[in-house]
């Protein structure tokens, strides 16, 4: 691999006697990981049905290494949202941020959604996850991934973090910033990042990081916690960004990250770093752990910082159509009528934690339940993914070995002519007990309603 000389010089200065070991890590194969979606299935239950040869990632309770030839993205369980494919070290930030039931959580630079999916799973259908990416195209991929994962209590934005900070000052219990960075820690995984680094290196990204980390701190409630991470080794983007934050926001302080063998402490360069306890940051190096390069810092806002008042969203008072109510009578998923809003015929369940919207580029506010169409209600793909099989009363559940599962994912009409166990109307189509989407059953055939943009290619 043709690494730039100025990068190698910087790494030699950073690593000193470990430098040769770091270079040797480029001769090793990159590692592949998947993270089990504990919102849908326990780790224990997934391992019972897993078709892959998995090895635990020691510091991630629900993370596993897999072999590249297994191709888990080409399996029905992937379409059911049972796991997310993610580089092992990149699982660490969302794992470390201590999300609790009922928290209001913000993922600032979230696309394509690896960290948001884990934050949403940790919330376990409680509280609120607001997830954002400034790029509209990337935010669309983010929306798909959080919906595949079945996260109902969400709001997906595509907005400048500064604008969000102005609106949500002192609002969040937890904030995660996986900052845009020069990507030095991912050179082994993707050597195209080297050309990007030569075009825009640490100096370019550090300016962006310094702005967004201050916005993140401003959005925290007193006592709230923020996780800052990058996938780069540059001190300018890592420890120096944290030093800038602590200078500019003295109400913030570093707190320890649970230790694991191979985690390296943040680099101390002077007395100010010692006073700020920069050693509480964590560095992950590919020659010390089975993962790519990463940097993490966990911070807390002082409990005596000023509080901010945010007006609660007013509950819905609109009369719900009978067709919608009739459909919801078949659902035991917790749907509160005062949280249902209809906009341009689309029906949403909005988290009661979400304040009044307006003035922001919103991709999705709440769970899209479906759409009203000419005096009928059509349930959405997002609702199918948010449901457990037991939460709807018309089910078609096939084993993964049944060829009709892949046919369903390809959008084909399915034949059930010799089977008469199913009820007419909207059926929740499942594989091994886990929902994939909707179909409309009549006279031995299932008309496929799987979302066209999600189909098996």
């Amino acid at each position: 691999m043709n690494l730039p000389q100025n990068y190698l010089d910087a790494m030699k200065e950073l690593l000193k006697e470990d430098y040769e070991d770091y270079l040797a890590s480029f001769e090793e194969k990159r590692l592949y990981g998947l993270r089990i979606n504990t919102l849908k299935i326990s780790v224990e239950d997934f391992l019972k049905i897993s078709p892959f040869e998995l090895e635990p990632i020691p510091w991630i309770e629900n993370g596993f290494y897999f072999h590249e030839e297994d191709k888990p993205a080409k399996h029905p369980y992937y379409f059911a949202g049972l796991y997310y494919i993610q580089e092992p070290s990149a699982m660490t930030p969302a794992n470390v941020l201590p999300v609790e039931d009922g928290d209001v959580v913000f993922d600032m630079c979230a696309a394509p959604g690896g960290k948001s999916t884990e934050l949403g799973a940790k919330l376990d259908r409680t509280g609120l996850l607001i997830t954002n990416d400034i790029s509209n195209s990337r935010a669309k991929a983010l929306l798909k991934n959080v919906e595949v994962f079945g996260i109902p209590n969400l709001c997906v934005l595509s907005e400048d973090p500064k604008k969000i900070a102005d609106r949500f000052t002192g609002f969040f219990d937890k904030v995660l910033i996986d900052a845009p960075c020069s990507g030095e820690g991912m050179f082994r995984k993707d050597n195209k990042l080297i050309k990007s680094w030569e075009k825009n290196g640490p100096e370019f990204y550090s300016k962006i990081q310094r702005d967004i980390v201050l916005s993140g701190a401003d959005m925290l409630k007193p006592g709230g916690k923020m996780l800052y991470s990058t996938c780069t080794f540059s001190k300018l983007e890592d420890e120096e960004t944290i030093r800038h934050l602590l200078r500019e926001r003295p109400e913030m302080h570093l707190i320890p990250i649970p230790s694991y063998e191979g985690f390296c402490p943040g680099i101390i360069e002077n007395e100010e770093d010692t006073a700020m306890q920069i050693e509480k940051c964590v560095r992950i190096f590919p020659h010390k752990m089975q993962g790519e390069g990463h940097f993490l810092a966990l911070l807390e806002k002082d409990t005596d910082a000023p509080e901010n008042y945010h007006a609660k969203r007013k509950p819905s008072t609109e009369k719900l159509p009978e067709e919608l109510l009739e459909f919801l009578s078949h659902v035991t998923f917790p749907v509160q009528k005062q949280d249902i809003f209809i906009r341009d015929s689309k029906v949403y369940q909005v988290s009661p934690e979400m304040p009044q919207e307006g003035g922001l580029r919103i991709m999705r506010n709440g769970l899209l339940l479906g759409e009203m169409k000419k005096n009928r209600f059509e349930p959405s793909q997002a609702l199918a993914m948010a449901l457990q099989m037991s939460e709807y009363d018309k089910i078609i559940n096939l084993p993964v070995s049944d060829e009709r599962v892949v046919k369903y994912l390809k959008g084909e009409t399915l034949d059930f002519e010799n089977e008469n166990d199913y009820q007419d109307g909207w059926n929740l189509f499942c594989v091994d007990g886990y929902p994939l989407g909707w179909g409309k059953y009549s006279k031995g055939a299932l008309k496929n309603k799987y979302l066209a943009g999600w189909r098996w290619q």
Side-chain angles (χ1 to χ4, degrees):
M1 190 173 292
N2 190 21
L3 295 165
Q5 189 58 50
N6 53 342
Y7 168 72
L8 292 173
D9 291 344
M11 290 302 291
K12 192 169 188 178
E13 182 185 345
L14 180 77
L15 294 171
K16 299 183 172 54
E17 64 272 11
D18 280 355
Y19 176 66
E20 295 299 329
D21 290 340
Y22 168 67
L23 289 184
S25 73
F26 281 90
E27 303 302 316
E28 299 172 9
K29 284 185 177 181
R30 61 165 287 193
L31 298 160
Y32 297 86
L34 64 80
R35 195 192 68 251
I36 295 167
N37 180 4
T38 54
L39 189 62
K40 288 179 179 275
I41 188 170
S42 69
V43 171
E44 182 183 11
D45 285 344
F46 181 78
L47 293 177
K48 289 175 184 174
I49 64 171
S50 171
F52 317 121
E53 186 180 337
L54 301 177
E55 179 186 342
I57 299 171
W59 69 98
I60 307 290
E61 302 87 347
N62 57 333
F64 292 83
Y65 300 104
F66 68 86
H67 298 294
E68 184 182 5
E69 56 270 21
D70 279 341
K71 301 194 184 308
K74 274 290 189 182
H75 194 282
Y77 292 163
Y78 177 75
F79 289 79
L82 299 192
Y83 52 84
Y84 187 92
I85 297 168
Q86 190 173 28
E87 192 281 314
S89 292
M91 298 180 190
T92 314
N95 179 271
V96 164
L97 186 63
V99 172
E100 300 168 359
D101 284 3
D103 275 350
V104 179
V105 181
F106 181 51
D107 189 356
M108 184 184 292
C109 311
K115 296 166 181 70
S116 284
T117 51
E118 175 65 1
L119 297 173
K122 289 170 85 169
L123 282 171
D124 195 22
R125 292 179 167 188
T126 71
L128 171 66
L129 172 66
I130 298 184
T131 182
N132 173 72
D133 201 276
I134 194 169
S135 160
N136 189 263
S137 60
R138 284 170 56 83
K140 288 177 182 175
L142 165 64
L143 172 60
K144 178 188 174 181
N145 283 324
V146 292
E147 288 190 335
V148 169
F149 244 54
I151 299 166
N153 48 320
L154 60 80
C155 175
V156 180
L157 303 177
S158 179
E159 193 56 88
D160 186 312
K162 179 74 171 65
K163 191 171 180 181
I164 300 171
D166 291 342
R167 175 73 181 276
F168 289 103
T169 303
F171 183 70
F172 294 100
D173 298 292
K174 308 286 160 56
V175 170
L176 191 146
I177 302 174
D178 187 45
C181 71
S182 61
E184 296 171 351
M186 297 292 160
F187 284 176
R188 179 176 69 169
K189 176 186 169 187
D190 183 0
N191 58 23
K192 293 193 292 294
L193 290 170
I194 296 170
K195 285 199 179 300
S196 175
W197 184 92
E198 289 174 323
K199 181 181 177 183
N200 290 317
E203 293 80 8
F204 172 83
Y205 284 103
S206 68
K207 295 185 179 78
I208 299 170
Q209 292 154 358
R210 290 184 181 206
D211 285 340
I212 63 177
V213 79
L214 296 182
S215 293
D218 293 343
M219 284 188 265
L220 275 181
K221 293 176 183 175
K225 294 180 176 66
M226 180 171 81
L227 192 290
Y228 172 82
S229 67
T230 71
C231 56
T232 195
F233 301 122
S234 162
K235 288 186 286 187
L236 184 62
E237 300 179 74
D238 294 342
E239 287 90 351
E240 291 185 33
T241 298
I242 297 302
R243 191 187 304 150
H244 173 75
L245 168 65
L246 296 176
R247 284 172 181 162
E248 296 296 317
R249 298 292 186 269
E251 70 273 17
M252 299 291 291
H253 60 274
L254 283 159
I255 57 176
I257 291 172
S259 62
Y260 176 77
E261 183 183 354
F263 282 1
C264 295
I267 295 169
I268 299 285
E269 292 196 322
N270 51 45
E271 289 182 3
E272 184 183 28
D273 287 351
T274 302
M276 291 177 170
Q277 300 182 303
I278 295 292
E279 75 281 356
K280 288 182 177 177
C281 302
V282 164
R283 282 177 168 267
I284 296 175
F285 290 106
H287 60 285
K288 290 187 176 287
M289 298 183 71
Q290 288 190 297
E292 307 303 327
H294 236 78
F295 172 87
L296 303 96
L298 183 59
L299 303 109
E300 186 174 46
K301 181 178 272 192
D302 293 343
T303 54
D304 58 0
E307 291 196 38
N308 284 273
Y309 172 73
H310 288 269
K312 289 279 188 181
R313 174 183 51 76
K314 294 176 182 176
S316 171
T317 56
E318 53 191 302
K319 181 175 169 54
L320 300 180
E322 289 300 321
E323 298 83 1
L324 170 61
L325 293 173
E326 197 283 327
F327 178 86
L328 292 177
S329 71
H330 299 275
V331 176
T332 57
F333 176 84
V335 178
Q336 305 299 325
K337 291 178 183 177
Q338 69 268 21
D339 296 330
I340 296 179
F341 294 82
I342 301 176
R343 304 184 192 92
D344 300 324
S345 78
K346 290 186 168 60
V347 184
Y348 301 89
Q349 176 177 255
V350 179
S351 167
E353 299 294 334
M354 184 70 191
Q356 298 286 62
E357 61 188 80
L360 295 172
R361 286 184 294 176
I362 297 176
M363 308 283 291
R364 176 81 80 244
N365 187 9
L367 172 64
L368 175 61
L369 298 176
E371 189 171 0
M372 301 304 306
K373 290 187 173 180
K374 294 181 181 176
N375 298 319
R376 71 182 192 276
F377 173 74
E378 290 199 359
S380 73
Q381 182 69 41
L383 175 60
M385 303 310 291
L387 291 171
Q388 297 174 6
M389 188 175 74
S390 61
E391 293 175 328
Y392 188 72
D393 64 4
K394 297 180 184 180
I395 300 295
I396 294 177
N397 180 36
L398 299 183
V400 72
S401 56
D402 192 313
E403 64 179 13
R404 288 173 294 185
V405 171
V406 173
K407 285 184 177 181
Y408 174 80
L409 291 169
K410 289 181 176 180
E412 297 177 21
T413 297
L414 303 185
D415 178 21
F416 292 89
E417 192 172 341
N418 299 319
E419 303 166 51
N420 49 21
D421 298 336
Y422 306 119
Q423 302 177 59
D424 285 351
W426 289 103
N427 275 255
L428 186 62
F429 187 87
C430 304
V431 57
D432 289 338
Y434 299 97
L436 289 171
W438 298 105
K440 215 162 187 184
Y441 184 81
S442 178
K443 298 177 182 176
L446 186 76
K447 187 177 181 182
N448 200 313
K449 295 292 184 176
Y450 189 65
L451 191 63
W454 290 18
R455 287 178 185 166
W456 184 297
Q457 300 296 321

